[in-house]
Each structure stands twice: as C-alpha cells, then as structure tokens.
Amino acid sequence: VLEVIRDNFRKNLSIPELAESLSMTQRKFGDIFKEVLTVTPQTYIIKMRIHYACVDLMKTKKALKEIAEDVGFYDHSTFIRQFTKHMGMLPTKYRKMHKKN
C-alpha cells in the first residue's frame, strides 16, 4: 500500500479502495496504518504531497497554483491551508526562507 500511495499520491486516492486492496475493512486498515505509521492514511498522503511541494518551492519558480495541482491538491486554497497547518508557515514564506539559504 505504501508503494501504491508513493506512486499515486498526486491522484485522488480512495482510502476505501486501498483497504479493499488488502481485503480489510476501512476501519481495520486505518487502525493498522495509524498504529504502524502514527498517522492516518489521509494524513500520510497529505504529508507526502507537502513534502514534494517543499521540493518544488525550493527548486523551482513555479506558481503556487501550479505546485498545488502538480502534487495533487484539489485547489490552491486547500494547498495553502494544509501547507500552513503542517509546516507552520505559508508556502511563500517557506520559499523565501529557503531561497536565502
């Protein structure tokens, strides 16, 4: 399942389908996933998207909207909200901070 997530995190992954692929209920899958990785499957996917967004922010001059779409967020505002929640700062601040270094 981690390989499936890694290879498809940019797409709209279905947690029920991931659970079904392992012949598990969604609840059992979520419980085991969280026990092993300490986060829910959905949070794991979001963190992976944010990780790749960070790489783009540091290494490219792409617009935030383009980065959001490239890493699989529904829209620009969802990306900014999730990025700020998980990184503690706006994506623009993150980019500026890493351009100086």
Side-chain angles (χ1 to χ4, degrees), residues 1-2 4 6 8 33-34 37 41 45 47 49-50 52 59 63-65 68 74 76 80 84-85 87-88 91 99-100:
V1 151
L2 293 179
V4 170
R6 183 196 65 220
N8 297 286
F33 196 99
K34 189 169 183 175
L37 295 171
I45 292 166
K47 286 179 176 277
R49 289 174 177 167
I50 289 171
Y52 283 96
K59 295 187 175 192
L64 293 183
K65 182 179 182 198
Y74 175 72
H76 176 254
I80 290 173
T84 303
K85 176 181 173 183
M87 298 301 292
K99 291 290 180 184
K100 292 178 183 177

Side-chain angles (χ1 to χ4, degrees), residues 51-61 67 91 94-99 101:
H51 167 77
Y52 283 96
C54 287
V55 171
D56 274 355
L57 287 165
M58 288 187 293
K59 295 187 175 192
T60 72
K61 293 182 179 184
I67 291 172
Y94 183 89
R95 177 177 264 167
K96 285 178 188 173
M97 194 171 87
H98 289 305
K99 291 290 180 184
N101 297 329

Side-chain angles (χ1 to χ4, degrees), residues 24-74:
M24 292 182 176
T25 65
Q26 186 176 341
R27 182 176 180 148
K28 183 71 171 172
F29 171 66
D31 290 347
I32 291 172
F33 196 99
K34 189 169 183 175
E35 182 180 324
V36 173
L37 295 171
T38 70
V39 294
T40 66
Q42 191 61 42
T43 300
Y44 183 83
I45 292 166
I46 290 168
K47 286 179 176 277
M48 183 166 283
R49 289 174 177 167
I50 289 171
H51 167 77
Y52 283 96
C54 287
V55 171
D56 274 355
L57 287 165
M58 288 187 293
K59 295 187 175 192
T60 72
K61 293 182 179 184
K62 290 181 191 176
L64 293 183
K65 182 179 182 198
E66 185 179 356
I67 291 172
E69 291 171 359
D70 287 351
V71 299
F73 283 99
Y74 175 72

Side-chain angles (χ1 to χ4, degrees), residues 73-86:
F73 283 99
Y74 175 72
D75 60 23
H76 176 254
S77 62
T78 301
F79 167 60
I80 290 173
R81 187 173 51 256
Q82 289 294 332
F83 190 95
T84 303
K85 176 181 173 183
H86 291 277

